[in-house]
Amino acid sequence: MKKTILFVGLLFSMLLQAQQAVHIIPQPVSLEMKEGGFVIDNKTVVKSDKKDKEVAKVVHFFTEYVKRISGFDLKENPSKGKRIAFSIEKIKKIGNEGYLITVNPNEILVKANTSKGLFYGVQSLLQTLPFIRTNDLVQIPCMNIKDYPRFQWRGLMLDVSRHFFAPELVKEFIDLLATYKMNVFHWHLVDGAGWRLEIKKYPKLTQQAAWRVDDWGKSWNWSELEFNADRSKSTYGGYYTQEQAKEIVAYAKARNITVVPEIEMPGHSEAAMAAYPELSCNPKNHFGQSGNFFASKVESNYCAGNDQAFAFLENVLTEVMAIFPSKYIHIGGDEVDKTSWKLCNKCQARMKSEHLKDEKELQSYFIRRMEKFLVSKKRKMIGWDEILEGGLAPEATVMSWRGEAGGIEAAKMGHEVIMTPGFPCYFDHYQGDPETEPLAIGGFNTLKKVYNYEPVPIELNAEEAKKVLGSQANLWTEYIPTYEQAEYMILPRMPALAEVLWSTKEQRNWENFNQRLQPHLVGFEQKGLHYSKGNYKVDIKPVVANNVLSIALETENSEGVIYYTTDGSMPSIGSIKYEKPFMVATSMTVKAIMALHNKVVSSKPEVQSFTFNKATGKTVNYTNANSRYYPANGANTLTDGFRGTKDIGKLWHAFNGGDMIATIDLGAPVLATSISLGCIQNWGQWVFLPQWVKFEVSVDGVNFEEIKVVTNTIPANLRDTQIKEFTAQFAEQKIKAVRVTAKNLGECPPGSPGEKQAAWLFVDEISVE
């Protein structure tokens, strides 16, 4: 009998030890593990101040979760015994969202200054429990936690205009945010593709502007999106009633999440302008005609010279503010095509009467006027970083998406900023190998890139850094038609960003995060959530040191093993195992794969060709700066030996609207007979081949002579991705420098997704042979 008791006790102890490790995301500020654990059973009770309704909601949230995954119905009981106690106290240095947790075998204490802190303490406790009910032992390891967030704004934006998501799915989205202590749900309700919120004063916004001709199953193309007044033809879309929106706001509030609505203005408003054309500069009754009409042919802007447009927007925002109690209201303000304003008599008259020198100042006038209205209602305005153009509104908060420059500028001016640069905060970008991932808009923001993001730019001093409220990710849904795909695109990147925004900078450690993430991935599987299994791509990178070019191979997966070949043959686990960078002495093609547990997981090898020529490793000087959003391999990308592939986010330097002029000093004079430049066209991503490429040479490095101009022969409307080599061949001569000019197409051509917008020119590898 004694042996049996001893065995059972030993088994119970082993079970506790096996479950001892915790995998909390975000990483708490302080976590001290102790021996033993608190076992939840039918004798466990909870204790709290039942008079505090907010605390009672948190306790209810906790007990309902425990009931779902264990079957135990924890009752409120102030008597002594095994209990979980929640209390509001005055605790220094943890703020309004911080919490303390003490877990002993017979008691769990969760303390905070507010119910918000208690809720986040609950989320940490829940991450120590099973993800689903298995009827196994349910226990929380003994530990002490002290925790509080680094940033006050920890958000994620969901675009419901391009594709609509039902209210219950929006709630599921909010549940995911709450699990990882995110506290802002930015709801992009309005855009050119559809209006998604009931405005009772203007019923046509939901009767007409919320519905479009069904384009289900087609790749997104803004220039082909159509509306139709006949609702039997316009069958795709939807909107949220005011009651549904209020219900979602309340649902989010119960999870410590503030819903920030966005009502786009003055641009991105085609849907609204189609329904109420009198508010635009060039009114046309599109819904009054029969048949389909293109959204891209509708006026995109509210008329800045029309007081009726301002009255409309004030009425809309009045109803919006009655639904959303958020301190902040987002008004968009991005990508305003000012062409209509330049041609509009009312807008030009407004500029004259307000003494505005150009249309940028007219946009500033528009934004300032709307901010004045919001401030009068005791709200604060947020806008995308374009609201800096022409002068920033006095109390505006800037959301910096075109890199960090806008946020830096605003912070230095004393304004609050929220950092959300496309790299790495756009979650509609690829997170793994584009060859195997669902179709996305482009880019390449992997889990590791998200985790390594630092929201406070080094350009800000300590005082200016205080203006950075935090950061958020953005999920634009042009290429995300279903909730399953939306879920896939944020998992597991959202937990990574959550840790960036909650945990201290000093705590962040990629390998440690990766280890803690693994049980969460198991939980996603158990709960049927859709998520990316990981980035299995192998990064092939050049390393130049002492004029020697070497190749480094990298993978984000800490357990991944890389195998490679250099002769162009297919690699396998029998190929060369990568240990360290290897030297390049001649042109070659490297192919690399990643293996986990002796099994190849790469769907296909990563392939990179290296050209070894007389320009390799030489310094490149640009007359016009290349885009900071596509840094590739650094300043000398054009001479690093790497040939650009169809992945435009990786090996290419880019120029938006402008020409590329690159000069390369070859050092000592060399004999040459040809010069070439590689370019790419990706019609769907606004990337087009140059009109022509001019090649020049110099014998002294100062004076240049034109060798040849090569004209592009590939049509701009060709939709398949094209990589073209522009080459100039000439009689052998000795040269010291070359200059290559690629003429940008200028504007995206008619019918393309970026029609009339500035075209992108992507270039890579200048070769001299």
Side-chain angles (χ1 to χ4, degrees):
M1 181 65 179
K2 288 182 179 180
K3 289 182 178 180
T4 303
I5 293 173
L6 180 62
F7 174 76
V8 172
L10 179 62
L11 178 62
F12 186 72
S13 176
M14 291 172 63
L15 281 169
L16 289 181
Q17 290 175 10
Q19 299 180 28
Q20 194 76 25
V22 296
H23 309 277
I24 298 172
I25 298 175
Q27 176 73 40
V29 172
S30 173
L31 170 61
E32 177 192 0
M33 299 303 300
K34 300 184 296 183
E35 291 187 5
F38 181 100
V39 178
I40 296 176
D41 54 29
N42 55 12
K43 295 180 181 179
T44 304
V45 298
V46 293
K47 180 180 181 296
S48 66
D49 182 357
K50 291 189 288 185
K51 295 179 182 179
D52 190 322
K53 293 183 179 179
E54 294 305 312
V55 172
K57 291 177 183 177
V58 173
V59 174
H60 178 73
F61 183 91
F62 175 74
T63 57
E64 284 297 301
Y65 185 94
V66 170
K67 186 176 182 179
R68 285 199 304 274
I69 58 100
S70 71
F72 299 125
D73 191 2
L74 307 187
K75 301 297 185 182
E76 182 87 25
N77 191 334
S79 63
K80 290 185 178 181
K82 194 162 63 172
R83 64 177 187 168
I84 304 172
F86 300 86
S87 62
I88 299 293
E89 301 182 12
K90 292 183 179 180
I91 306 169
K92 295 180 180 180
K93 297 183 179 181
I94 65 170
N96 290 332
E97 295 182 299
Y99 63 91
L100 303 177
I101 291 177
T102 302
V103 181
N104 294 313
N106 292 309
E107 183 178 53
I108 296 177
L109 301 177
V110 186
K111 302 177 182 179
N113 290 316
T114 68
S115 61
K116 289 184 178 181
L118 290 181
F119 182 82
Y120 292 134
V122 163
Q123 290 295 350
S124 289
L125 289 177
L126 296 184
Q127 287 192 26
T128 69
L129 297 176
F131 290 97
I132 59 172
R133 183 172 178 175
T134 64
N135 297 316
D136 196 359
L137 184 71
V138 178
Q139 65 93 35
I140 297 173
C142 290
M143 57 187 174
N144 293 326
I145 296 178
K146 179 181 181 180
D147 201 13
Y148 49 85
R150 180 184 176 198
F151 291 102
Q152 63 177 286
W153 188 289
R154 308 180 300 278
L156 207 159
M157 184 278 290
L158 176 64
D159 165 23
V160 296
S161 175
R162 273 78 174 197
H163 285 104
F164 178 73
F165 301 97
E168 59 271 20
L169 299 179
V170 174
K171 290 179 181 178
E172 289 185 24
F173 196 84
I174 288 170
D175 281 333
L176 290 174
L177 299 187
T179 298
Y180 295 99
K181 303 184 177 74
M182 301 290 263
N183 67 348
V184 177
F185 171 50
H186 173 178
W187 206 0
H188 189 80
L189 289 159
V190 173
D191 214 298
W195 187 285
R196 304 295 178 213
L197 180 66
E198 176 189 26
I199 302 296
K200 294 181 179 179
K201 191 174 182 66
Y202 301 108
K204 286 192 289 185
L205 290 173
T206 46
Q207 291 171 353
Q208 297 178 341
W211 307 93
R212 66 177 186 251
V213 177
D214 195 349
D215 51 5
W216 188 262
K218 298 179 181 178
S219 292
W220 176 268
N221 184 358
W222 166 246
S223 66
E224 295 178 356
L225 188 146
E226 296 176 294
F227 290 103
N228 192 314
D230 184 350
R231 277 301 316 284
S232 68
K233 303 291 177 59
S234 288
T235 55
Y236 179 82
Y239 65 92
Y240 308 96
T241 67
Q242 293 194 5
E243 288 307 308
Q244 286 175 321
K246 288 177 181 178
E247 184 179 323
I248 288 170
V249 168
Y251 189 87
K253 182 182 178 183
R255 288 152 181 77
N256 276 5
I257 292 175
T258 299
V259 182
V260 176
E262 180 180 358
I263 305 297
E264 275 275 15
M265 62 183 82
H268 276 284
S269 300
E270 289 87 349
M273 295 304 94
Y276 292 93
E278 65 273 18
L279 306 178
S280 67
C281 294
N282 185 27
K284 184 176 180 181
N285 187 13
H286 292 278
F287 276 116
Q289 69 187 37
S290 60
N292 297 353
F293 62 91
F294 291 109
S296 59
K297 302 302 181 184
V298 180
E299 289 281 312
S300 62
N301 298 348
Y302 291 92
C303 177
N306 185 352
D307 285 336
Q308 189 180 357
F310 289 100
F312 171 89
L313 288 169
E314 289 178 3
N315 290 334
V316 167
L317 290 178
T318 297
E319 292 195 34
V320 168
M321 288 184 285
I323 301 167
F324 300 93
S326 166
K327 172 184 176 182
Y328 295 94
I329 302 294
H330 203 303
I331 54 80
D334 60 311
E335 299 179 323
V336 180
D337 180 357
K338 302 176 181 65
T339 303
S340 61
W341 288 356
K342 292 178 181 179
L343 303 175
C344 174
N345 291 333
K346 289 182 181 179
C347 288
Q348 294 303 308
R350 176 81 74 192
M351 290 171 60
K352 185 175 181 179
S353 66
E354 296 292 335
H355 308 291
L356 308 174
K357 67 179 181 181
D358 56 26
E359 284 72 22
K360 286 186 177 180
E361 289 195 0
L362 181 60
Q363 177 172 339
S364 177
Y365 164 83
F366 193 110
I367 300 300
R368 287 171 184 263
R369 184 162 169 175
M370 295 313 304
E371 186 201 43
K372 185 177 180 181
F373 172 74
L374 289 172
V375 170
S376 73
K377 304 300 181 183
K378 296 182 171 52
R379 303 297 183 97
K380 294 199 70 173
M381 184 189 79
I382 300 179
W384 302 108
D385 56 54
E386 286 95 331
I387 66 173
L388 284 157
E389 297 174 5
L392 189 56
E395 299 180 38
T397 298
V398 172
M399 192 166 273
S400 189
W401 71 278
R402 296 179 300 174
E404 295 180 330
I408 292 169
E409 180 183 349
K412 287 183 176 294
M413 294 167 61
H415 286 258
E416 294 178 340
V417 301
I418 299 153
M419 290 298 189
T420 180
F423 172 81
C425 293
Y426 270 34
F427 282 8
D428 53 328
H429 289 187
Y430 286 108
Q431 58 191 316
D433 188 346
E435 295 284 347
T436 58
E437 289 286 296
L439 181 65
I441 198 168
F444 194 57
N445 289 335
T446 66
L447 181 67
K448 187 175 184 180
K449 289 178 179 178
V450 173
Y451 189 78
N452 286 339
Y453 177 57
E454 171 50 44
V456 178
I458 59 175
E459 291 87 346
L460 301 181
N461 62 36
E463 283 302 308
E464 293 164 347
K466 293 178 182 178
K467 294 297 180 180
V468 179
L469 301 182
S471 178
Q472 71 174 40
N474 298 318
L475 190 66
W476 303 102
T477 59
E478 288 95 334
Y479 291 85
I480 304 174
T482 67
Y483 178 74
E484 288 77 12
Q485 193 172 348
E487 197 173 72
Y488 181 93
M489 297 302 279
I490 70 170
L491 296 177
R493 289 187 289 190
M494 183 268 290
L497 183 62
E499 182 147 311
V500 169
L501 300 176
W502 180 282
S503 305
T504 64
K505 182 179 179 180
E506 294 71 25
Q507 282 180 298
R508 297 221 310 268
N509 179 283
W510 166 247
E511 286 73 22
N512 179 267
F513 170 77
N514 228 331
Q515 291 172 3
R516 284 181 288 115
L517 179 65
Q518 299 313 305
H520 292 258
L521 301 183
V522 174
F524 296 162
E525 289 281 356
Q526 291 176 331
K527 293 195 288 188
L529 299 179
H530 303 81
Y531 70 100
S532 174
K533 303 299 189 294
N535 174 31
Y536 296 145
K537 284 175 70 69
V538 175
D539 283 335
I540 306 176
K541 297 183 176 181
V543 178
V544 179
N546 301 319
N547 293 319
V548 175
L549 175 63
S550 297
I551 298 173
L553 306 180
E554 297 179 0
T555 175
E556 287 189 1
N557 195 300
S558 58
E559 297 181 356
V561 179
I562 299 172
Y563 297 92
Y564 70 96
T565 61
T566 59
D567 59 2
S569 62
M570 184 67 68
S572 67
I573 58 175
S575 301
I576 306 170
K577 181 180 178 181
Y578 178 74
E579 301 288 352
K580 62 182 180 179
F582 52 94
M583 190 173 68
V584 178
T586 184
S587 296
M588 65 172 63
T589 297
V590 175
K591 293 186 177 182
I593 56 171
M594 190 187 86
L596 283 174
H597 312 300
N598 218 33
K599 179 181 178 181
V600 175
V601 292
S602 304
S603 61
K604 57 191 299 187
E606 188 70 8
V607 180
Q608 183 60 59
S609 296
F610 290 85
T611 60
F612 199 81
N613 62 84
K614 294 173 182 179
T616 303
K618 300 299 188 292
T619 300
V620 178
N621 290 303
Y622 285 130
T623 301
N624 304 320
N626 62 299
S627 170
R628 69 173 65 188
Y629 307 128
Y630 296 91
N633 288 327
N636 297 324
T637 289
L638 265 62
T639 57
D640 62 7
F642 275 52
R643 288 285 186 180
T645 66
K646 290 186 178 181
D647 181 357
I648 64 172
K650 190 175 181 183
L651 297 172
W652 301 88
H653 270 181
F655 299 82
N656 188 216
D659 303 334
M660 182 220 72
I661 306 174
T663 303
I664 301 172
D665 192 323
L666 300 173
V670 299
L671 289 173
T673 59
S674 71
I675 309 169
S676 63
L677 170 72
C679 299
I680 188 171
Q681 178 161 300
N682 187 317
W683 181 86
Q685 301 300 320
W686 306 14
V687 179
F688 296 92
L689 293 170
Q691 299 178 50
W692 47 259
V693 177
K694 180 170 66 175
F695 298 94
E696 299 171 276
V697 299
S698 172
V699 295
D700 58 6
V702 177
N703 301 296
F704 286 83
E705 175 188 358
E706 181 181 312
I707 292 293
K708 190 174 185 179
V709 175
V710 181
T711 302
N712 176 41
T713 57
I714 296 178
N717 61 1
L718 201 62
R719 299 192 180 193
D720 293 336
T721 299
Q722 304 288 323
I723 294 178
K724 179 176 175 62
E725 193 91 357
F726 291 83
T727 303
Q729 293 183 326
F730 47 89
E732 184 179 73
Q733 60 177 289
K734 188 172 288 188
I735 61 176
K736 188 179 184 299
V738 300
R739 184 163 63 201
V740 181
T741 301
K743 183 65 177 177
N744 194 304
L745 187 63
E747 286 188 353
C748 297
S752 68
E755 181 175 350
K756 294 185 178 180
Q757 300 298 314
W760 284 90
L761 168 66
F762 277 55
V763 298
D764 181 47
E765 213 56 30
I766 293 177
S767 297
V768 178
E769 301 285 2

